Structures are given as structure tokens and as C-alpha cells.
Amino acid sequence: MTFYEQTPVPRPITILEPPISRPSDAPSATQSPIPIHPPRDTTPNDPKRTTISSPKPFPLPTLRLENRNLNHPASALLFTSINPATVLPDCLQNVLRLLYHTPSSHSFTPPPTRSVTLIFRDMDGVAYTTGTDLDHDHKEIHFNLNHISNVASRPNSPTRVRDEIIGVITHELVHCYQWDAKHTCPGGLIEGIADWVRLNCDLSPPHWKKEVDGAWDRGYQHTAYFLQYLEDIFGNSTIRHLNDHLRHHKYHQDSFWEEQFGLGVEELYEGYVQHHKEEERKNKKKQDDL
């Protein structure tokens, strides 16, 4: 079965309109359940609010929580900011919905993750995901308590702390459930997919912006915006299909992108760069006309 057997893939023109990680500052979020976009479903009472609309939830692994320093000042702040018993399952449902189809679909073929343990402790960096000593099917997400304290010391901290925690958790959960081309996928694409999920959960932080003056595989939000461009051009489920392709095949840059999009990644990225510059030009003209 080819990558786009059911839907022929259009070839983009020059300008087109329309997982161990240590993420940088994490995103802002909304109240649980965490909305996702797309698809965007509205409720009668609030047309701007987005909700999870799957007919039934995805099966979840065993979820565990561990705090290795209850005396840390961030510990009290952590548990007054979120309820892990609801936030962790909500985040994981969104991750699965964006990376896969429905729970009953034949294409629901995630990695065999049997448990996820969220561990808050003192360490360097922000967070990372790893397998356990038992086996790689049991995942651990390590989250730095000091980072929570640092966020709390910034302006607007009452709203940012909860948003930061949920954003980091979402990013790291992607690493528990994404495919990696049999351990050959470049790190920039791995991290880009994780931030693409974060972006489509409406969890992008205020400091994120599209920057096109570097390589496509810088990872994190830089690659996430490029992946969103591909999703916009080639249609919904593009990144789902890409993730599924990473399940079946080792990564070879010359063939990986050609097989799925009919173009090499550098040509695709050049289309994204030109599209972004055209959007900037239009926005500047609008500002000048005001």
C-alpha cells in the first residue's frame, strides 16, 4: 500500500497559498479537557471553544506519577496548578488523536507503550523522555521542578505555570507514541513532530514564531511550522501518514520525502519559505494601508 493510495498527492508550486528531548519554553494551554485543532468543533454555549469529539477514547497505558522532592517550592505550585489524574489522560488522548485515526481503525498501530511514568525532580534542562531499565515499552518522562519555579518567577506567572506544565507534558507524550523509522529518523524531525502536535493542541507559547532563515530540520517549533505547512497543502492526516511511514521504513532523506510528496525535502522547504515571505509581505502591506 502506498503512502497516499486513497488520495492522490498534488505537487506544490513555488509559492502555495491557502525522542529524548529537552524542549525550550513550553506553550500556553486552556482548561482541561485540552482542545485540539484541527478538527475544530464548537459547543452551543461558546462558539470559540474547541472540544474533543471522538466517539470513544483511545486505550491508554498505565499512567503513574512520582514526585521525588515534595519539599521543593515547585511541588505545592505543581499540584495547585494541575490535576495530573485528569491532565495526563487528556494530553495523551490528544496526542493519539493527532498521530493516529480512530481507536477502532486498522491504522491505529502505535508503539507498544505499556506504561508512562511522569517524574518530577531536580535536574538540568526542562524535560526528557526515556525507556525504563525494565524495557523500552515502559516510558518515563522526567520533568525539572526548577523549571516550574523559574516560570513562576516570570511576569504573568499565575496563567503561565499551568500552561507551561501542560505544554511540556504534551510534547513529551508524543515521544512515547511516535514512530522513529526504526531508530533512523533525524532528531529534528522527531522534535518537530512533537511540537507539531503541541501546535495543533492550541498549546503554542507566546514566544513561538515562524523563522525561515535556517534549515528545515532545526526541530521543535521551527520544523513544526514547516510540517503544518505540509498539512495545509496536502490535507488533513498528512502528518499522520508521515508518522505511519516512519513505522514501516528506515529514513533515507533522498527517498523518504519523494515517496510521500513527489518532491525532495529541500524543494518542499523552499516552497514553505517563499510562502512565508509572501505572507509577511501581504501583512506588511495591510499594516501600511491602515
Side-chain angles (χ1 to χ4, degrees):
M1 178 176 178
T2 60
F3 182 55
Y4 280 101
E5 182 177 356
Q6 296 180 343
T7 305
V9 179
R11 295 176 66 89
I13 59 177
T14 303
I15 299 176
L16 295 169
E17 297 295 338
I20 293 177
S21 68
R22 284 172 170 75
S24 56
D25 287 343
S28 57
T30 53
Q31 294 294 316
S32 177
I34 305 161
I36 67 170
H37 174 72
R40 186 173 290 277
D41 300 321
T42 58
T43 62
N45 295 329
D46 185 357
K48 295 182 179 180
R49 181 175 174 82
T50 60
T51 58
I52 297 172
S53 59
S54 176
K56 69 176 183 178
F58 286 81
L60 299 182
T62 299
L63 300 175
R64 301 186 179 95
L65 179 69
E66 180 180 340
N67 189 320
R68 295 184 179 177
N69 188 353
L70 285 173
N71 293 326
H72 195 288
S75 290
L77 185 59
L78 165 66
F79 293 110
T80 56
S81 299
I82 69 166
N83 178 357
T86 58
V87 166
L88 194 56
D90 285 347
C91 290
L92 187 48
Q93 287 291 336
N94 282 335
V95 167
L96 291 169
R97 187 162 290 104
L98 285 163
L99 290 181
Y100 301 94
H101 291 279
T102 63
S104 58
S105 170
H106 70 278
S107 60
F108 180 57
T109 52
T113 298
R114 293 190 283 167
S115 72
V116 177
T117 303
L118 179 58
I119 300 170
F120 292 93
R121 66 184 183 89
D122 299 286
M123 65 181 202
D124 295 328
V126 176
Y128 69 88
T129 297
T130 185
T132 68
D133 293 337
L134 180 61
D135 64 54
H136 203 65
D137 295 343
H138 296 273
K139 305 292 186 181
E140 289 182 348
I141 297 173
H142 293 248
F143 199 131
N144 187 5
L145 286 167
N146 297 315
H147 180 66
I148 298 173
S149 294
N150 291 338
V151 174
S153 67
R154 300 172 187 171
N156 301 319
S157 61
T159 57
R160 283 292 298 148
V161 170
R162 181 179 187 275
D163 300 348
E164 186 85 355
I165 294 169
I166 293 176
V168 172
I169 290 173
T170 297
H171 177 105
E172 296 303 327
L173 281 170
V174 175
H175 295 325
C176 299
Y177 275 92
Q178 68 184 143
W179 292 101
D180 64 357
K182 302 180 180 180
H183 312 302
T184 65
C185 187
L189 182 55
I190 290 288
E191 298 299 342
I193 291 172
D195 268 359
W196 176 83
V197 170
R198 191 194 310 190
L199 180 67
N200 280 271
C201 286
D202 291 331
L203 292 171
S204 55
H207 74 274
W208 276 19
K209 61 181 180 179
K210 297 178 184 178
E211 297 174 328
V212 298
D213 55 351
W216 74 269
D217 58 352
R218 284 180 293 165
Y220 300 103
Q221 74 268 24
H222 308 294
T223 301
Y225 283 119
F226 170 51
L227 295 175
Q228 184 57 44
Y229 164 80
L230 297 179
E231 184 88 356
D232 293 339
I233 295 303
F234 291 97
N236 288 344
S237 293
T238 295
I239 307 306
R240 281 191 189 128
H241 287 303
L242 187 148
N243 177 62
D244 189 61
H245 200 70
L246 291 170
R247 174 171 71 98
H248 294 288
H249 308 281
K250 290 187 176 181
Y251 181 88
H252 300 284
Q253 183 159 300
D254 291 341
S255 60
F256 181 80
W257 302 89
E258 287 272 358
E259 290 174 359
Q260 297 164 86
F261 302 104
L263 294 169
V265 66
E266 297 299 340
E267 192 173 355
L268 291 166
Y269 190 68
E270 180 59 27
Y272 164 66
V273 170
Q274 293 189 40
H275 171 78
H276 173 67
K277 289 180 178 179
E278 179 65 16
E279 288 296 303
E280 283 190 326
R281 186 192 65 78
K282 290 180 180 179
N283 291 335
K284 184 177 185 303
K285 187 177 184 302
K286 286 180 182 179
Q287 292 296 323
D288 293 341
D289 291 341
L290 292 179

